[in-house]
Structure formats: structure tokens, C-alpha cells
């Protein structure tokens, strides 16, 4: 008999909420919460998590938060893969989440956690679109709109409550896949503080008592399973927040606050693949540019060609050939490490795309693809131009495919910042794709102007024209020669 999943059917230890987590999505639950739960079980830490939704509820719709609440914030993580050439499966009931809420609806609770004596750590994954400076964002709002403004208001509230006590600073660990994520967030917090005229004592407290960590995360998480009824029967619980992922995991935590992070969250002592280091760049360039850059590079063209998952895409010969060409010819040459070792690393990364136990849906990967492409793919394209004077063809093709996917006539309902989607569609003119591309890349959608790479706009416009006229499959075949 399948039971409901809650505190009446499962015994759970109540733990002090030491971690405030911005983001209720599949990744953080199958990665950070999973790791914290393992460390709790092994006696390394005693930490509860409060999950805080990073954005307001959309149109009154049911949210993951609602499902978590119905289950007293418990959920299963199911990990599948191959280990020592044998299929392996792990199931874990994650019980470290003590609370979940939406700040816009429960601001008093939000403030209660902000000013808690127990709170030590903030973890976030607000996607690549989250860590952006929004001019004029009101930090007195309950809460502000952008994540950096939220963090400024949170820290200021805590600073005032504890009267600037240096022992009450927080460790902030960012999981967003942008370069120098924690360092950038700190820069924006200080910028908001100064633009809002907050006292110098607060600025000093942020700089001296709070620790912002740059971090790199790596685990493929696919989300809620298709065959949920079978898994529920196996578990014996009616869990509507199950998360599926791969066995592999890596968490690199660095930046100025890495030693403090190791002190308050020593996940490595629980036997987890967590590395504390002053600099995450060595890990980041390899992982983000090869793994995440391949995902984002293929997602639009694969969806336009009728693929549903990463495995489907890599079973499509032209897509597989394209990604391997892009990695070998444009990505690896721009990473400053031993090329033979990078080639082996890339082979291992791409091998994960074939994992038969993981159905990684392209539609899930496509969330916020505009900011993802800038963070994951543009740096490689920029480096090719700055170092070699070469406009990377594969990089241009991935952006053309992305724009074709966002084309108002593509037939797809894209999931991205509504204002950015509207801007693209308002500027779309199939009779003048050069101007279309130029207007898009020079808009406020992106933090950098891609047209500074000579030849980028005309190449993207040319490939985009071929995709519109021939279809994605034929255009890709022509590209590959």
C-alpha cells in the first residue's frame, strides 16, 4: 500500500535552520539538499534548510513549494548510472528541509529566518539570469525584485537586528553558472548599498564579516520521473516531488570565503566529492564550457529537429558530430590546460550524455537559454576572437539556432524572462535578419555586446537565414559539409 509522505508516516529529526536556500528547483534539491542530508546522516553537521522561492508566484499557479509543504518538505532523490561497469541506483529520502515558503506571501517568516541566531549560510541557484544588477531596484520592498537587491536587503536587516555584530555575518554560496558568481553578487550588494545611501558601517560589515563564495556545481539532474507510479510503488510513498539525477557529483567551493565555508559546511568530511579551494577557475572553465556549453549549444537545434532528450540528440548523428566538432576545435583550444588531458576529460563529460538511465529533457535545459548562452558559450566565442582573430563558426551556429527557437513563428513556447522574449519578438523581421540579430545582441537582454566580435552578426544572420529557409536539419547538414 502506498502511504502519504509526511511526518505522520516518516520519523524525522527536527534540526536548527542554519541554511536559507534561494531556489526550490530540481537541481538544488537533488544536489545541495541531498549533500546536506548525507552530511547530517553521517554526523558531520546538524543543519536544517529553509527553502525560499526566489521569484513571486506566477498567476496563482500551484508551485513546487505547495507540493513540498504537503509532504512536510520531504522528498526522494533517485540517482542512476553506471559504476565500475555495472548499473547502479541509489534512493534517498531527503529530510533536511525544515520549511519552504514564498517571501512575497509570508514576509514575516522570511524576516524571521533572516534575523535568526541559528542562520549561518545562504545557498542560491537563481539561474544565470538571477545575478544581475537592476538599476533602481527598491531594497525597501518586501521583498525587492532582483536577487542581488534581495540579498542587500536581507543582509541590511540582519546587520540592523544584531547591531553590526561581526559574528553574525553569513556565508553565501552561489550555485549560478556564471563566472565569479559569489564575487559578482558581493559587488552588486555593495553597489546597491551605496546607491541606496546605506551607512558605511554596513558596507564595512558586508566586506569584513560576510563571506561570498564562488562555486561550481556538477550533476545532471533531470527532475520528476516519467514513470513516477512505478517509483512510488517501489518507494511505498506517494511522493510528488521526486527528483531524478545521475550518480556523479562535484561541488567546488572557492573565492575569499572558502575557508569559512569549509568551517561551517564541511561536506568533504562526509565523503562527498566537495572541494574547497581558493580559485575555482581551473574547474569552472573545463566543466562549464564543455558540459554546460554543449548542453546549451545543442538544446535549440535539437528541439527544432524534434528531439526530446539529450540522449535523443546524441543519437542524431549530425548533432553528435557538431557538438564533438565544437568542443574539439573551438572549446578545448581556449582552455589553458594540457590538451591531451582536456581531450580525455571532454570524452568523459560527453560520455555522460549517453547514460541510458537518465532522460535529460531538452525542454528543461532550455529554461533561460539566453542568459545561459551568454554565460556558457559566449566566453569561448569571445576568446577565439581575442586570441586567434577567429569568429568561431560553431558558436555562431548555436546562437543562430537559439534565435530560431525564440522566433515568434517557431511554434515553441519558450521559457525565459518575459521581457526578453517580447523584445526578441518585437524586433523580429525575417526580411532583414541582419538588423534583427544586431538589435537583439545590442539590447539589454545581455550584459555584453556580442557584436564586438567582428563577423559575429553577419555569420549568425547567414546561418539564421539558412535555418528559416531550409529547416534546422538541412541547415546543420550544410554547415557540417
Amino acid at each position: 500500500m502506498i502511504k502519504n509522505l509526511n511526518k505522520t508516516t516518516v520519523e524525522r529529526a527536527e534540526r536548527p535552520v542554519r541554511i536559507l536556500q534561494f531556489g526550490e528547483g530540481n537541481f538544488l534539491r537533488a544536489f545541495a539538499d541531498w549533500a546536506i542530508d548525507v552530511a547530517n546522516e553521517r554526523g558531520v553537521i546538524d543543519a536544517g534548510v529553509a527553502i525560499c522561492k526566489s521569484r513571486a508566484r506566477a498567476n496563482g499557479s500551484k508551485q513546487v513549494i505547495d507540493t513540498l509543504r504537503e509532504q512536510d518538505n520531504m522528498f526522494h532523490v533517485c540517482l542512476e548510472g553506471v559504476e565500475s561497469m555495472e548499473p547502479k541506483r541509489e534512493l534517498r529520502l531527503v529530510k533536511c528541509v525544515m520549511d519552504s515558503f514564498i517571501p512575497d506571501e509570508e514576509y514575516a517568516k522570511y524576516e524571521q529566518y533572516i534575523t535568526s541566531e541559528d542562520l549561518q549560510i545562504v545557498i542560491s541557484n537563481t539561474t544565470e539570469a538571477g545575478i544581475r544588477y537592476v538599476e533602481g531596484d527598491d531594497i525597501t520592498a518586501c521583498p525587492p525584485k532582483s536577487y542581488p537587491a534581495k540579498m542587500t536587503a536581507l543582509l541590511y536587516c540582519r546587520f540592523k537586528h544584531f547591531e553590526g555584530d561581526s559574528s553574525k555575518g553569513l556565508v553565501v554560496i552561489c550555485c549560478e553558472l556564471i563566472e565569479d558568481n559569489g564575487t559578482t553578487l558581493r559587488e552588486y550588494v555593495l553597489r546597491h548599498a551605496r546607491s541606496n545611501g546605506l551607512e558605511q558601517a554596513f558596507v564595512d560589515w558586508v566586506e569584513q564579516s560576510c563571506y561570498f563564495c564562488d562555486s561550481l556545481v556538477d550533476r545532471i539532474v533531470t527532475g520528476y520521473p516519467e514513470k513516477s507510479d512505478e517509483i512510488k510503488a517501489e518507494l511505498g510513498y506517494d511522493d510528488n516531488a521526486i527528483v531524478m539525477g545521475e550518480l556523479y557529483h562535484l561541488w567546488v567551493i572557492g573565492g575569499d570565503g572558502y575557508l569559512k565555508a569549509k568551517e561551517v559546511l564541511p561536506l568533504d568530511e562526509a565523503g562527498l566529492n566537495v572541494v574547497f579551494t581558493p580559485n575555482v577557475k581551473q574547474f569552472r572553465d573545463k566543466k562549464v564550457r564543455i558540459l554546460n556549453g554543449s548542453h546549451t549549444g545543442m538544446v535549440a537545434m535539437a528541439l527544432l529537429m524534434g528531439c526530446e532528450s539529450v540522449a535523443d540528440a546524441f543519437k542524431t548523428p549530425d548533432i553528435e558530430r557538431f557538438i564533438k566538432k565544437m568542443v574539439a576545435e573551438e572549446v578545448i583550444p581556449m582552455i589553458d590546460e594540457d590538451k591531451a588531458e582536456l581531450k580525455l576529460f571532454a570524452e568523459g563529460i560527453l560520455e555522460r550524455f549517453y547514460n541510458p538511465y537518465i532522460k535529460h529533457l531538452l525542454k528543461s535545459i532550455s529554461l533561460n537559454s539566453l542568459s545561459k548562452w551568454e554565460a556558457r558559450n559566449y566566453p569561448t566565442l569571445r576568446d577565439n576572437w581575442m586570441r586567434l582573430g577567429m569568429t568561431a563558426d560553431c558558436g555562431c551556429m548555436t546562437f543562430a539556432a537559439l534565435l530560431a527557437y525564440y522566433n515568434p513563428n517557431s511554434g515553441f513556447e519558450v521559457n525565459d524572462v518575459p521581457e526578453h522574449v517580447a523584445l526578441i519578438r518585437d524586433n523580429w523581421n525575417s526580411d532583414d535578419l541582419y538588423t534583427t540579430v544586431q538589435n537583439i545582441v545590442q539590447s539589454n537582454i545581455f550584459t555584453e555586446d556580442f557584436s564586438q566580435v567582428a563577423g559575429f552578426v553577419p555569420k549568425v544572420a547567414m546561418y539564421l537565414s539558412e535555418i528559416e529557409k531550409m529547416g534546422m536539419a538541412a541547415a546543420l547538414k550544410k554547415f557540417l559539409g
Side-chain angles (χ1 to χ4, degrees):
M1 179 179 174
I2 296 180
K3 298 175 285 187
N4 291 328
L5 178 57
N6 53 49
K7 286 191 287 187
T8 68
T9 58
V10 172
E11 187 176 335
R12 182 182 74 178
E14 294 302 311
R15 300 184 186 275
V17 172
R18 304 196 190 282
I19 301 167
L20 182 62
Q21 175 176 305
F22 280 87
E24 76 287 4
N26 293 320
F27 182 81
L28 278 186
R29 290 191 294 115
F31 184 81
D33 297 335
W34 169 86
I36 293 161
D37 198 73
V38 170
N40 278 337
E41 182 184 86
R42 295 177 183 173
V44 172
I45 58 174
D46 179 23
V49 178
I51 292 179
C52 160
K53 184 169 175 59
S54 58
R55 295 184 182 181
R57 185 188 293 269
N59 303 319
S61 61
K62 184 178 175 67
Q63 301 283 334
V64 173
I65 294 288
D66 299 315
T67 301
L68 289 173
R69 285 169 165 171
E70 290 165 4
Q71 301 181 176
D72 288 326
N73 300 297
M74 292 182 280
F75 56 91
H76 289 85
V77 173
C78 179
L79 306 176
E80 296 181 315
V82 177
E83 195 172 276
S84 301
M85 303 302 293
E86 295 292 332
K88 184 178 179 181
R89 193 158 180 260
E90 290 183 2
L91 293 169
R92 168 170 287 273
L93 175 56
V94 172
K95 297 186 282 186
C96 66
V97 180
M98 299 291 107
D99 198 5
S100 56
F101 62 98
I102 302 173
D104 304 72
E105 300 174 7
E106 299 173 272
Y107 194 78
K109 176 184 282 191
Y110 177 58
E111 199 167 57
Q112 178 185 335
Y113 284 119
I114 290 170
T115 56
S116 166
E117 289 273 359
D118 293 325
L119 190 66
Q120 296 177 311
I121 302 162
V122 175
I123 293 174
S124 70
N125 185 15
T126 56
T127 78
E128 286 86 340
I131 301 182
R132 293 203 173 197
Y133 186 80
V134 178
E135 195 75 47
D137 199 347
D138 182 8
I139 67 165
T140 66
C142 299
K145 185 177 180 181
S146 68
Y147 178 52
K150 281 186 176 77
M151 183 56 63
T152 308
L154 180 160
L155 292 175
Y156 189 61
C157 177
R158 189 171 178 86
F159 167 80
K160 297 291 280 186
H161 181 81
F162 290 110
E163 299 179 339
D165 186 338
S166 61
S167 69
K168 295 298 188 286
L170 298 176
V171 174
V172 182
I173 304 175
C174 297
C175 298
E176 293 83 355
L177 286 177
I178 65 168
E179 290 188 54
D180 304 323
N181 43 24
T183 302
T184 302
L185 178 61
R186 177 176 58 192
E187 175 192 328
Y188 291 165
V189 165
L190 294 173
R191 191 172 165 187
H192 276 299
R194 294 186 175 106
S195 68
N196 282 273
L198 302 184
E199 56 264 44
Q200 184 62 38
F202 170 66
V203 172
D204 294 342
W205 183 79
V206 170
E207 291 183 323
Q208 298 166 16
S209 303
C210 295
Y211 304 85
F212 290 77
C213 297
D214 299 324
S215 91
L216 171 72
V217 294
D218 191 2
R219 165 172 276 168
I220 294 173
V221 174
T222 58
Y224 193 72
E226 278 190 335
K227 299 179 179 180
S228 57
D229 290 342
E230 292 180 16
I231 294 180
K232 287 179 183 181
E234 180 183 356
L235 298 171
Y237 290 101
D238 185 24
D239 184 352
N240 293 301
I242 303 167
V243 194
M244 304 291 293
E246 66 173 341
L247 289 166
Y248 179 84
H249 72 282
L250 170 66
W251 198 349
V252 184
I253 299 175
D256 294 341
Y258 84 99
L259 289 175
K260 186 65 176 180
K262 180 175 173 58
E263 177 188 325
V264 298
L265 196 67
L267 299 174
D268 54 336
E269 295 177 17
L272 296 164
N273 192 19
V274 179
V275 178
F276 294 91
T277 177
N279 193 337
V280 303
K281 180 174 172 57
Q282 174 188 358
F283 295 90
R284 187 191 183 283
D285 281 355
K286 291 193 297 186
K287 185 265 178 178
V288 174
R289 294 194 184 201
I290 295 174
L291 174 63
N292 302 102
S294 294
H295 274 159
T296 300
M298 79 164 74
V299 68
M301 63 177 61
L303 285 166
L304 289 166
M305 289 169 65
C307 300
E308 185 181 357
S309 68
V310 171
D312 291 340
F314 252 51
K315 289 174 186 173
T316 304
D318 284 346
I319 296 177
E320 180 190 39
R321 183 179 161 203
F322 174 85
I323 292 299
K324 289 183 175 180
K325 174 182 172 68
M326 180 181 78
V327 169
E329 297 178 8
E330 295 180 4
V331 179
I332 287 178
M334 294 301 107
I335 301 175
D336 296 325
E337 290 189 41
D338 181 84
K339 301 310 176 191
E341 289 184 10
L342 280 173
K343 185 172 181 290
L344 289 173
F345 177 84
E347 288 172 357
I349 286 283
L350 297 179
E351 189 176 19
R352 290 160 65 190
F353 291 6
Y354 298 100
N355 186 342
Y357 303 101
I358 294 295
K359 187 168 186 180
H360 201 180
L361 294 178
L362 296 166
K363 191 67 178 173
S364 299
I365 298 173
S366 72
L367 172 68
N368 293 335
S369 282
L370 296 169
S371 57
K372 285 178 178 175
W373 191 91
E374 180 173 19
R376 303 172 178 187
N377 298 78
Y378 179 66
T380 293
L381 192 138
R382 178 196 60 210
D383 288 353
N384 272 274
W385 168 248
M386 293 181 68
R387 295 188 188 186
L388 306 177
M390 183 180 82
T391 307
D393 289 334
C394 291
C396 292
M397 178 54 125
T398 64
F399 193 71
L402 186 62
L403 293 186
Y405 176 62
Y406 279 68
N407 177 346
N409 302 311
S410 71
F412 288 92
E413 190 65 38
V414 299
N415 192 356
D416 212 315
V417 177
E419 296 85 353
H420 295 168
V421 176
L423 190 151
I424 289 174
R425 297 189 169 184
D426 289 345
N427 279 279
W428 200 273
N429 180 1
S430 292
D431 295 326
D432 186 1
L433 289 174
Y434 180 93
T435 302
T436 297
V437 174
Q438 188 171 49
N439 288 344
I440 291 169
V441 301
Q442 293 180 339
S443 70
N444 63 4
I445 292 175
F446 305 105
T447 60
E448 295 198 51
D449 178 1
F450 306 156
S451 66
Q452 292 178 358
V453 173
F456 177 77
V457 170
K459 275 195 175 181
V460 170
M462 178 184 71
Y463 294 143
L464 183 57
S465 175
E466 290 174 351
I467 294 169
E468 283 210 338
K469 291 174 182 174
M470 305 166 63
M472 188 70 243
L476 180 58
K477 193 170 287 295
K478 179 181 177 183
F479 177 89
L480 293 168

PDB file of all heavy atoms in Angstrom, residues 334-348:
ATOM      1  N   MET A 334      40.756  26.886 -26.179  1.00  0.00           N
ATOM      2  CA  MET A 334      40.673  28.112 -25.387  1.00  0.00           C
ATOM      3  C   MET A 334      40.821  27.860 -23.890  1.00  0.00           C
ATOM      4  O   MET A 334      40.714  28.800 -23.088  1.00  0.00           O
ATOM      5  CB  MET A 334      39.331  28.815 -25.657  1.00  0.00           C
ATOM      6  CG  MET A 334      39.172  29.329 -27.076  1.00  0.00           C
ATOM      7  SD  MET A 334      40.453  30.530 -27.554  1.00  0.00           S
ATOM      8  CE  MET A 334      41.444  29.520 -28.683  1.00  0.00           C
ATOM      9  N   ILE A 335      41.038  26.625 -23.472  1.00  0.00           N
ATOM     10  CA  ILE A 335      41.228  26.309 -22.054  1.00  0.00           C
ATOM     11  C   ILE A 335      42.714  26.068 -21.813  1.00  0.00           C
ATOM     12  O   ILE A 335      43.329  25.239 -22.475  1.00  0.00           O
ATOM     13  CB  ILE A 335      40.392  25.078 -21.642  1.00  0.00           C
ATOM     14  CG1 ILE A 335      38.899  25.337 -21.902  1.00  0.00           C
ATOM     15  CG2 ILE A 335      40.607  24.769 -20.155  1.00  0.00           C
ATOM     16  CD1 ILE A 335      38.015  24.128 -21.646  1.00  0.00           C
ATOM     17  N   ASP A 336      43.276  26.797 -20.863  1.00  0.00           N
ATOM     18  CA  ASP A 336      44.731  26.771 -20.649  1.00  0.00           C
ATOM     19  C   ASP A 336      45.150  25.612 -19.758  1.00  0.00           C
ATOM     20  O   ASP A 336      45.577  25.797 -18.610  1.00  0.00           O
ATOM     21  CB  ASP A 336      45.181  28.099 -20.037  1.00  0.00           C
ATOM     22  CG  ASP A 336      44.941  29.267 -20.971  1.00  0.00           C
ATOM     23  OD1 ASP A 336      45.080  29.075 -22.194  1.00  0.00           O
ATOM     24  OD2 ASP A 336      44.594  30.363 -20.487  1.00  0.00           O
ATOM     25  N   GLU A 337      45.024  24.415 -20.284  1.00  0.00           N
ATOM     26  CA  GLU A 337      45.493  23.217 -19.593  1.00  0.00           C
ATOM     27  C   GLU A 337      46.056  22.251 -20.625  1.00  0.00           C
ATOM     28  O   GLU A 337      45.910  22.456 -21.834  1.00  0.00           O
ATOM     29  CB  GLU A 337      44.345  22.561 -18.806  1.00  0.00           C
ATOM     30  CG  GLU A 337      43.895  23.366 -17.594  1.00  0.00           C
ATOM     31  CD  GLU A 337      42.911  22.600 -16.723  1.00  0.00           C
ATOM     32  OE1 GLU A 337      43.129  21.391 -16.517  1.00  0.00           O
ATOM     33  OE2 GLU A 337      41.938  23.211 -16.270  1.00  0.00           O
ATOM     34  N   ASP A 338      46.672  21.178 -20.147  1.00  0.00           N
ATOM     35  CA  ASP A 338      47.242  20.174 -21.044  1.00  0.00           C
ATOM     36  C   ASP A 338      46.164  19.638 -21.990  1.00  0.00           C
ATOM     37  O   ASP A 338      45.114  19.159 -21.540  1.00  0.00           O
ATOM     38  CB  ASP A 338      47.825  19.023 -20.216  1.00  0.00           C
ATOM     39  CG  ASP A 338      48.448  17.955 -21.098  1.00  0.00           C
ATOM     40  OD1 ASP A 338      49.607  18.125 -21.491  1.00  0.00           O
ATOM     41  OD2 ASP A 338      47.744  16.949 -21.385  1.00  0.00           O
ATOM     42  N   LYS A 339      46.406  19.741 -23.283  1.00  0.00           N
ATOM     43  CA  LYS A 339      45.373  19.413 -24.278  1.00  0.00           C
ATOM     44  C   LYS A 339      45.033  17.923 -24.288  1.00  0.00           C
ATOM     45  O   LYS A 339      43.873  17.552 -24.507  1.00  0.00           O
ATOM     46  CB  LYS A 339      45.813  19.868 -25.674  1.00  0.00           C
ATOM     47  CG  LYS A 339      46.093  21.364 -25.779  1.00  0.00           C
ATOM     48  CD  LYS A 339      44.975  22.227 -25.207  1.00  0.00           C
ATOM     49  CE  LYS A 339      45.321  23.702 -25.246  1.00  0.00           C
ATOM     50  NZ  LYS A 339      44.375  24.538 -24.467  1.00  0.00           N
ATOM     51  N   ALA A 340      46.014  17.071 -24.038  1.00  0.00           N
ATOM     52  CA  ALA A 340      45.721  15.628 -24.014  1.00  0.00           C
ATOM     53  C   ALA A 340      44.808  15.297 -22.834  1.00  0.00           C
ATOM     54  O   ALA A 340      43.863  14.517 -22.971  1.00  0.00           O
ATOM     55  CB  ALA A 340      47.028  14.829 -23.924  1.00  0.00           C
ATOM     56  N   GLU A 341      45.077  15.914 -21.691  1.00  0.00           N
ATOM     57  CA  GLU A 341      44.229  15.686 -20.524  1.00  0.00           C
ATOM     58  C   GLU A 341      42.836  16.265 -20.746  1.00  0.00           C
ATOM     59  O   GLU A 341      41.840  15.670 -20.333  1.00  0.00           O
ATOM     60  CB  GLU A 341      44.867  16.311 -19.278  1.00  0.00           C
ATOM     61  CG  GLU A 341      46.114  15.576 -18.801  1.00  0.00           C
ATOM     62  CD  GLU A 341      46.676  16.160 -17.518  1.00  0.00           C
ATOM     63  OE1 GLU A 341      45.989  17.014 -16.898  1.00  0.00           O
ATOM     64  OE2 GLU A 341      47.794  15.778 -17.131  1.00  0.00           O
ATOM     65  N   LEU A 342      42.765  17.433 -21.382  1.00  0.00           N
ATOM     66  CA  LEU A 342      41.458  18.031 -21.682  1.00  0.00           C
ATOM     67  C   LEU A 342      40.650  17.150 -22.622  1.00  0.00           C
ATOM     68  O   LEU A 342      39.428  17.029 -22.477  1.00  0.00           O
ATOM     69  CB  LEU A 342      41.644  19.419 -22.310  1.00  0.00           C
ATOM     70  CG  LEU A 342      41.934  20.565 -21.349  1.00  0.00           C
ATOM     71  CD1 LEU A 342      42.263  21.829 -22.143  1.00  0.00           C
ATOM     72  CD2 LEU A 342      40.750  20.816 -20.427  1.00  0.00           C
ATOM     73  N   LYS A 343      41.326  16.543 -23.601  1.00  0.00           N
ATOM     74  CA  LYS A 343      40.634  15.659 -24.536  1.00  0.00           C
ATOM     75  C   LYS A 343      40.018  14.472 -23.792  1.00  0.00           C
ATOM     76  O   LYS A 343      38.861  14.111 -24.035  1.00  0.00           O
ATOM     77  CB  LYS A 343      41.606  15.171 -25.604  1.00  0.00           C
ATOM     78  CG  LYS A 343      40.976  14.344 -26.713  1.00  0.00           C
ATOM     79  CD  LYS A 343      42.000  14.073 -27.811  1.00  0.00           C
ATOM     80  CE  LYS A 343      41.378  13.271 -28.953  1.00  0.00           C
ATOM     81  NZ  LYS A 343      41.081  11.885 -28.568  1.00  0.00           N
ATOM     82  N   LEU A 344      40.767  13.891 -22.863  1.00  0.00           N
ATOM     83  CA  LEU A 344      40.241  12.775 -22.061  1.00  0.00           C
ATOM     84  C   LEU A 344      39.094  13.239 -21.174  1.00  0.00           C
ATOM     85  O   LEU A 344      38.083  12.543 -21.020  1.00  0.00           O
ATOM     86  CB  LEU A 344      41.358  12.174 -21.204  1.00  0.00           C
ATOM     87  CG  LEU A 344      42.440  11.386 -21.943  1.00  0.00           C
ATOM     88  CD1 LEU A 344      43.560  10.998 -20.990  1.00  0.00           C
ATOM     89  CD2 LEU A 344      41.841  10.136 -22.606  1.00  0.00           C
ATOM     90  N   PHE A 345      39.252  14.435 -20.589  1.00  0.00           N
ATOM     91  CA  PHE A 345      38.191  14.996 -19.750  1.00  0.00           C
ATOM     92  C   PHE A 345      36.915  15.196 -20.561  1.00  0.00           C
ATOM     93  O   PHE A 345      35.813  14.847 -20.130  1.00  0.00           O
ATOM     94  CB  PHE A 345      38.661  16.330 -19.155  1.00  0.00           C
ATOM     95  CG  PHE A 345      37.623  17.037 -18.329  1.00  0.00           C
ATOM     96  CD1 PHE A 345      37.435  16.707 -16.992  1.00  0.00           C
ATOM     97  CD2 PHE A 345      36.830  18.038 -18.882  1.00  0.00           C
ATOM     98  CE1 PHE A 345      36.484  17.362 -16.230  1.00  0.00           C
ATOM     99  CE2 PHE A 345      35.879  18.695 -18.131  1.00  0.00           C
ATOM    100  CZ  PHE A 345      35.697  18.357 -16.793  1.00  0.00           C
ATOM    101  N   ALA A 346      37.065  15.761 -21.772  1.00  0.00           N
ATOM    102  CA  ALA A 346      35.911  16.007 -22.632  1.00  0.00           C
ATOM    103  C   ALA A 346      35.225  14.701 -23.023  1.00  0.00           C
ATOM    104  O   ALA A 346      33.991  14.615 -23.060  1.00  0.00           O
ATOM    105  CB  ALA A 346      36.333  16.780 -23.884  1.00  0.00           C
ATOM    106  N   GLU A 347      36.023  13.668 -23.315  1.00  0.00           N
ATOM    107  CA  GLU A 347      35.434  12.373 -23.662  1.00  0.00           C
ATOM    108  C   GLU A 347      34.610  11.827 -22.500  1.00  0.00           C
ATOM    109  O   GLU A 347      33.524  11.265 -22.699  1.00  0.00           O
ATOM    110  CB  GLU A 347      36.539  11.391 -24.051  1.00  0.00           C
ATOM    111  CG  GLU A 347      37.174  11.699 -25.401  1.00  0.00           C
ATOM    112  CD  GLU A 347      38.398  10.837 -25.683  1.00  0.00           C
ATOM    113  OE1 GLU A 347      38.783  10.045 -24.787  1.00  0.00           O
ATOM    114  OE2 GLU A 347      38.971  10.964 -26.779  1.00  0.00           O
ATOM    115  N   GLY A 348      35.125  12.007 -21.275  1.00  0.00           N
ATOM    116  CA  GLY A 348      34.388  11.549 -20.101  1.00  0.00           C
ATOM    117  C   GLY A 348      33.103  12.325 -19.886  1.00  0.00           C
ATOM    118  O   GLY A 348      32.061  11.769 -19.541  1.00  0.00           O
TER     119      GLY A 348
END
